Amino acid sequence: MATAAQKKRATRGPRRAGGRSTRERILDAAERLFAQRGFHAVSVRDITQAAGVDVALVNYHFGGKQALFEDVFMRRAAVLNEERLRRLEAVVQKSAPRPPRVEAIIDAFTHPLLDRSARGGPGWKAYFALIAQVNNSTEFGGLMMTRYFDPVVHAFIDALRASMPGCDERDLYWSYHFLSGALTLTFAETGRIDNLSRGLCRSSDLDSVHERLVPYVAAGFRALCLRSAAQRRRDAARRSPRRTSTAARAAT
Amino acid sequence: MATAAQKKRATRGPRRAGGRSTRERILDAAERLFAQRGFHAVSVRDITQAAGVDVALVNYHFGGKQALFEDVFMRRAAVLNEERLRRLEAVVQKSAPRPPRVEAIIDAFTHPLLDRSARGGPGWKAYFALIAQVNNSTEFGGLMMTRYFDPVVHAFIDALRASMPGCDERDLYWSYHFLSGALTLTFAETGRIDNLSRGLCRSSDLDSVHERLVPYVAAGFRALCLRSAAQRRRDAARRSPRRTSTAARAAT
DNA sequence: AATCTAATTCAACATTCGTTGAAACACAAG
DNA sequence: CTTGTGTTTCAACGAATGTTGAATTAGATT
């Protein structure tokens, strides 16, 4: 009756010594196919056939197609979150007691992802293409991304807030939103920029993306936050108009 | 035998006077459902039932599910492209003979989209959610976006190049790529930023997006292009090292 | 009124879908 | 060997899928 997923804790080791277990074979095949074609375009039989196992094993090991999808999504999320927090903390420690530069924070956020997508093997590559799909879907986007990634995102937004004091809260969140969109489209690797640039840029060249995404996004963050800080200063001056402060310079 | 789509040019007007034609009813229903659930998660019967017409009419009028999808995608693309080019030309004319500001170009690119998604009615809202899906999918992303939108995008990149002379070509394309990603995630309106910001920001508040996206993206473009221009200047100085030019200021 | 054609309806096609239950298997523990 | 448990296989379920062809309707033309 109950899926084997619950009682999986007290099980013996995987059957086939040396090779991947059945669970892992299914997860790998599902990851690849879901990323390539999307959740609804892939059948359970597609997955089990690619994994070389029986159709019924998806329901036995995971409980169903939807549950398998969430397990695929979950599997690598913990690894990512851990390294991202570790990197963030290292960046903060290194520049203490002053807050780190915006670039360093963005880098701690994006590098663990882009580096794995570029050099982590086909599994990671497929995983990020899957993330790109989930993040932009109204079906899963709001719920799954929130559930698995928002705690880490909050930590990064806290760090950015400390690095840009006086920044409007909404500017912070929308700036992150733009970063998330740019990063997400990158992971999709649709090949559109290849066509658009007539081969000058390649979707798969994630190193080129990273060395540009960080300064691009950092400049965007600063532009919004300096603007809102200036606006706040103007409002304050309007409320108590003793000094006229025309110099609106702020150190980054 | 052949679908009615070809011989549709010499047809009489739609049957039902006053109301929408069957074709339009199917297109509207398909647009809404494809946007909500994605191509593969919607059946032809879902569409025809929502449109209140017979199942067979999708194949009669469009030739099949896939062809219907492309017709939905095509329907509003021409309207968008026309207005975007019109706005771009107006911006260029207004500031002639000097090139327009980067902000003005970005605005001409984004405003026709965000304005329609916010105030164009539920049809346009659904359409942009569909765009968000297509742009991030490896299945349609590279091909359909290229086919229907790249001519316009090239015009905008030409204008940006003229506004930022000396900018590296790859920086231009990648900067556009980041803009495209940020805009695309916005259209999806997944509700994630609502959760992340605990209600402070709302996915549906596209006016807030627009007043932030333009300066954000403009700053990102400038950051990359100034960097590449400075790099180019360094390279030139290295090749003919007569003057040492440490002042790297550039007027925007 | 007779004719013609575009549009619509209806029933059915052959596949494929996710899921299930019972039987068979493998292997460690007793 | 026997028992027991976790795993795999096999066959099949009912429902839903995209598409099709023939019959029917509606409206204009001759």
Side-chain angles (χ1 to χ4, degrees):
Chain A
M1 293 301 131
T3 67
Q6 278 85 6
K7 48 180 116 169
K8 204 70 183 58
R9 298 292 154 237
T11 185
R12 288 164 287 184
R15 184 63 45 87
R16 45 180 66 246
R20 298 165 301 168
S21 70
T22 299
R23 266 187 72 94
E24 285 166 338
R25 292 167 60 107
I26 295 176
L27 283 169
D28 289 342
E31 184 173 63
R32 181 170 60 85
L33 291 172
F34 282 149
Q36 279 176 354
R37 309 184 208 162
F39 177 75
H40 295 283
V42 177
S43 72
V44 177
R45 285 176 175 83
D46 290 335
I47 296 169
T48 53
Q49 183 172 328
V53 302
D54 190 86
V55 210
L57 290 177
V58 161
N59 284 272
Y60 176 75
H61 282 288
F62 301 94
K65 186 186 177 186
Q66 177 90 30
L68 168 61
F69 184 72
E70 296 201 20
D71 272 28
V72 168
F73 192 85
M74 225 182 349
R75 179 166 59 149
R76 304 191 194 262
V79 185
L80 290 181
N81 288 338
E82 193 186 347
E83 185 187 334
R84 288 169 114 183
L85 285 181
R86 202 163 42 75
R87 280 197 176 243
L88 176 59
E89 193 154 357
V91 160
V92 170
Q93 291 287 342
K94 192 172 179 181
S95 74
R98 302 181 49 86
R101 284 175 55 83
V102 177
E103 279 82 354
I105 302 174
I106 307 289
D107 183 83
F109 186 79
T110 59
H111 188 269
L113 311 186
L114 287 165
D115 184 60
R116 277 185 172 78
S117 185
R119 282 170 286 277
W124 280 104
K125 172 76 67 182
Y127 182 72
F128 288 113
L130 187 68
I131 295 276
Q133 257 180 53
V134 170
N135 198 29
N136 273 77
S137 87
T138 50
E139 189 177 6
F140 307 113
L143 294 173
M144 293 184 67
M145 295 300 291
T146 292
R147 177 153 51 221
Y148 293 106
F149 288 112
D150 271 13
V152 172
V153 174
H154 274 126
F156 276 88
I157 290 188
D158 289 345
L160 287 166
R161 185 184 298 113
S163 281
M164 294 180 289
C167 182
D168 182 78
E169 279 294 293
R170 288 168 301 176
D171 285 335
L172 270 178
Y173 286 112
W174 281 119
S175 291
Y176 166 74
H177 169 85
F178 298 146
L179 162 59
S180 177
L183 197 54
T184 289
L185 180 58
T186 300
F187 289 145
E189 293 193 24
T190 64
R192 192 190 170 200
I193 200 176
D194 306 61
N195 302 330
L196 185 67
S197 70
R198 297 189 182 86
L200 190 62
C201 304
R202 282 166 294 115
S203 289
S204 57
D205 182 11
L206 300 187
D207 292 328
S208 287
V209 171
H210 190 252
E211 71 180 12
R212 288 170 172 89
L213 180 63
V214 173
Y216 185 97
V217 164
F221 264 96
R222 285 204 188 88
L224 288 196
C225 290
L226 288 183
R227 194 180 64 156
S228 60
Q231 179 65 44
R232 185 171 302 189
R233 224 173 296 118
R234 271 194 300 276
D235 294 348
R238 190 171 302 121
R239 281 195 299 274
S240 63
R242 293 178 235 160
R243 308 168 158 273
T244 52
S245 164
T246 53
R249 295 185 49 85
T252 53
Chain B
M1 298 308 118
T3 67
Q6 278 85 4
K7 46 178 119 172
K8 205 67 185 59
R9 297 289 155 239
T11 187
R12 288 164 286 183
R15 185 63 46 87
R16 45 181 67 247
R20 298 164 301 168
S21 71
T22 298
R23 265 186 73 94
E24 286 167 335
R25 292 166 59 106
I26 294 176
L27 282 170
D28 289 342
E31 184 173 63
R32 180 170 61 85
L33 292 171
F34 283 150
Q36 280 176 355
R37 310 183 208 161
F39 178 74
H40 295 284
V42 176
S43 72
V44 177
R45 285 175 175 82
D46 290 335
I47 297 170
T48 53
Q49 184 172 327
V53 301
D54 191 87
V55 210
L57 290 177
V58 161
N59 284 272
Y60 176 74
H61 283 288
F62 301 94
K65 187 186 177 184
Q66 178 92 28
L68 168 61
F69 184 73
E70 295 201 20
D71 272 28
V72 168
F73 192 85
M74 227 185 342
R75 179 166 60 150
R76 304 190 193 263
V79 185
L80 289 181
N81 288 339
E82 193 186 347
E83 185 188 333
R84 289 169 114 182
L85 285 181
R86 201 162 44 73
R87 278 195 177 245
L88 176 60
E89 192 153 359
V91 159
V92 170
Q93 291 288 341
K94 191 171 179 180
S95 75
R98 302 179 50 84
R101 284 174 56 82
V102 177
E103 279 83 353
I105 301 174
I106 307 288
D107 183 83
F109 186 78
T110 59
H111 189 270
L113 311 185
L114 287 166
D115 185 59
R116 276 185 172 78
S117 184
R119 280 169 288 276
W124 280 105
K125 172 75 68 180
Y127 181 73
F128 288 112
L130 188 68
I131 295 277
Q133 259 180 52
V134 170
N135 197 31
N136 273 77
S137 88
T138 49
E139 189 177 5
F140 307 113
L143 294 173
M144 293 184 66
M145 294 300 292
T146 293
R147 177 153 52 222
Y148 293 107
F149 288 111
D150 271 13
V152 171
V153 173
H154 274 126
F156 276 88
I157 289 186
D158 289 345
L160 287 166
R161 185 185 296 112
S163 281
M164 293 179 290
C167 182
D168 182 79
E169 280 293 295
R170 288 167 302 175
D171 286 335
L172 269 179
Y173 286 112
W174 282 119
S175 291
Y176 166 74
H177 169 84
F178 298 147
L179 162 59
S180 178
L183 196 55
T184 289
L185 180 58
T186 300
F187 289 146
E189 294 194 23
T190 64
R192 192 191 170 200
I193 200 175
D194 306 60
N195 302 331
L196 186 67
S197 70
R198 298 189 181 86
L200 190 62
C201 304
R202 282 167 296 114
S203 289
S204 57
D205 183 11
L206 300 187
D207 292 327
S208 287
V209 172
H210 190 252
E211 72 180 12
R212 288 171 172 88
L213 179 62
V214 173
Y216 184 98
V217 164
F221 264 96
R222 285 205 188 89
L224 288 197
C225 289
L226 288 182
R227 195 182 62 157
S228 61
Q231 180 65 43
R232 184 171 303 188
R233 223 173 296 121
R234 271 193 299 275
D235 293 348
R238 189 173 302 122
R239 280 193 300 274
S240 64
R242 293 179 235 160
R243 308 170 159 271
T244 51
S245 162
T246 53
R249 294 184 51 84
T252 52

